[in-house]
Amino acid sequence: MKRTKINVLLRLDKPVGKVIIKGWIRTKRASKTFSFMEVNDGSCLKNIQVIANADIQNYSQIDTITTGTSVSIEGELVESPGKGQKWEIQASDIEIINIAPESFPLQKKRHSDEFLRTIAHLRPRTNKYGAAFRIRSEMVFAIHKFYNEKGFIYLTAPLITGSDCEGAGEMFRVTSLDPAQVKKQGKMDFRQDFFGRESSLTVSGQLPAEMFALAFGDVYTFGPTFRAENSNTSRHVAEFWMLEPEMAFCDLNENMDHGEELVKYLTRHALEKCEEDMALFSRFVDKSLSQRLDTIINKKFVRLSYTDAVEILKKAKKEFEFRVEYGIDLQSEHERFLAEQYFKSPVFLTDYPKEIKPFYMRMNDDGKTVAAVDLLVPMIGELIGGSQREERLEPLEKRMDEMNLPKNDYWWYLDSRKFGSVLHSGFGLGFERFLMMITGISNIRDVIPFPRTPGSIDF
RNA sequence: UCCCCAGUAGCUCAGUUGGCAGAGCAAUUGGCUGUUAACCAAUGGGUCCGCGGUUCAAGUCCGUGCUGGGGAGCCA
């Protein structure tokens, strides 16, 4: 007989007779002549209650069952006479697969997130992290569903890159050189390295995505990206997942339309398909979550130019630590003020001064600003960063010269502007930041299975 | 990388003016005929983060290192 998953059993509206479940004991309430056990198999947040009476064959072994023990249980699915659950299993046979001895660190009580991070290999067995990672999985699916329905092509961008500057942060070096040899020679000879030149882990799939957009029209990449920045904050990890759509014949406004539609679609999908798991977060993790998600789904996102934002911040009665002047890159406190206090809504900020943005963003007619866009959301900060790309060869080369970028290394990128170039736009959405937004989890290390941060690569 | 805070039992934490190391939960053992993070009773459990210093005496004071957290910068 095949096992049935607990989420299937709990959805039933009439008994189905004998079933087998397999999973892990969350808690046991034992007495001399009967025992209750709650079993979880990861298929859903809820446990199923199992009752074992003393007359079953191996009742004496139930003594040895502890929290964390893996079991296979055969029994009858019956309506539960007790309060708190509709169904329970009247056990006829309980097989103990593997005991979790007293050193098992998860107790049937609340643990701190900090402690659970030190046992990241076991935390998916808790309610909160079980829910978080089921939602994460569902959101990966929802992203592919969204783009599949829209007819986008999925590009699996390379993770190892020879572009030494994709315009975003420090990179991890990739090399097959022998460290002992390098030490002896006193330098790294990249001509002897695997690729014959310096190479790194990618910080973004944007440039490859642009190439594909100029062939397929609408494309997206979604995969891991890497930053070697020594950032120690609750919003940064060294390895994270980024979704990057790139669309030909699409200007900055249509880019924002797309971003807004995407964020609303994914949020709605989470609330509909992960109702039970999402409820855990609005009940126990973040009391203001429901209201925030409601705003995201129903309210039109604010759109505002950098120039106008600076004016608002200058006039604001609030005392900022850093003074606002045209030309500065906005500080966290400014972004938070706009999204959390002034508009109380997600805000698209557009048209930043060219000096604070990368080379590939399209120069506006004023010659001062570029067609950039950031989406600022309450509690998270920057969720999306994107732009309309510079599709004209001459302005692009001019910007690269101004920023001292090695044009030779980008010959293929510049080629795309020589052969049938069209206006196009795209953005990057930090997948973990999105998960933080919809769950209310306040540390990025808790929405990624095994976080990589400076000085920490356990698991 | 910078600023601030913390590190005491498996977990969460208390520890007064420097003077015998504590609680709750968990665990273990026993009890209990429908429990709901079950309940009742008993028992065991300590490198007070490491190193150095002050002192008759340091969990407590000083220096230093490490680890964790919050914030800033960088950004997604």
Side-chain angles (χ1 to χ4, degrees), chain A residues 354 357 359 363 395-403:
Chain A
K354 64 177 182 187
K357 288 292 177 185
F359 73 95
M363 185 65 67
L396 184 62
E397 288 185 318
K398 188 168 163 245
R399 282 302 286 153
M400 292 182 81
D401 287 338
E402 283 170 11
M403 297 171 89

Side-chain angles (χ1 to χ4, degrees), chain A residues 286-300:
Chain A
D286 182 352
K287 301 273 186 220
S288 64
L289 185 63
S290 304
Q291 203 192 332
R292 275 214 328 279
L293 296 184
D294 195 61
T295 304
I296 287 164
I297 289 175
N298 296 311
K299 207 171 156 184
K300 176 114 178 87

Side-chain angles (χ1 to χ4, degrees), chain A residues 270 433 452:
Chain A
R433 289 197 182 164
R452 274 79 178 89

Side-chain angles (χ1 to χ4, degrees), chain A residues 142-156 209 212-213 215-222 243-250 254-255 257-259 261-262 424-427:
Chain A
I143 283 169
H144 288 300
K145 183 164 181 276
F146 177 81
Y147 284 108
N148 185 264
E149 285 166 357
K150 283 189 166 300
F152 277 52
I153 292 291
Y154 177 50
L155 155 67
T156 54
F212 265 49
F216 297 101
D218 294 327
V219 305
Y220 69 108
T221 84
F222 179 43
L243 165 66
E244 295 175 284
E246 193 70 36
M247 296 155 287
F249 317 108
C250 172
E254 294 166 313
N255 200 20
D257 292 342
H258 179 83
E261 186 187 348
L262 170 74
H424 61 287
S425 300
F427 60 80

Side-chain angles (χ1 to χ4, degrees), chain A residues 214-231:
Chain A
L214 297 181
F216 297 101
D218 294 327
V219 305
Y220 69 108
T221 84
F222 179 43
T225 48
F226 308 88
R227 305 280 164 90
E229 295 286 349
N230 188 14
S231 321

Side-chain angles (χ1 to χ4, degrees), chain A residues 45 110 127-128 278-287:
Chain A
L45 181 65
R110 229 187 130 86
N127 286 341
K128 179 175 170 182
M278 289 292 285
L280 177 146
F281 292 100
S282 47
R283 210 175 305 148
F284 299 117
V285 176
D286 182 352
K287 301 273 186 220

Side-chain angles (χ1 to χ4, degrees), chain A residues 135 269-280 282-283:
Chain A
I135 292 170
H269 187 99
L271 288 168
E272 281 168 15
K273 304 288 180 178
C274 308
E275 194 181 353
E276 190 187 33
D277 288 326
M278 289 292 285
L280 177 146
S282 47
R283 210 175 305 148

Side-chain angles (χ1 to χ4, degrees), chain A residues 112-121 123 128-129 234 441-446 449-451 456 458-459:
Chain A
S112 68
D113 293 325
E114 291 79 12
F115 171 66
L116 291 172
R117 238 168 262 154
T118 68
I119 49 168
H121 57 310
R123 66 180 180 170
K128 179 175 170 182
Y129 290 89
S234 53
I441 290 176
S442 56
N443 194 312
I444 197 168
R445 286 171 264 237
D446 297 334
F450 299 101
S456 167
D458 272 342
F459 311 108

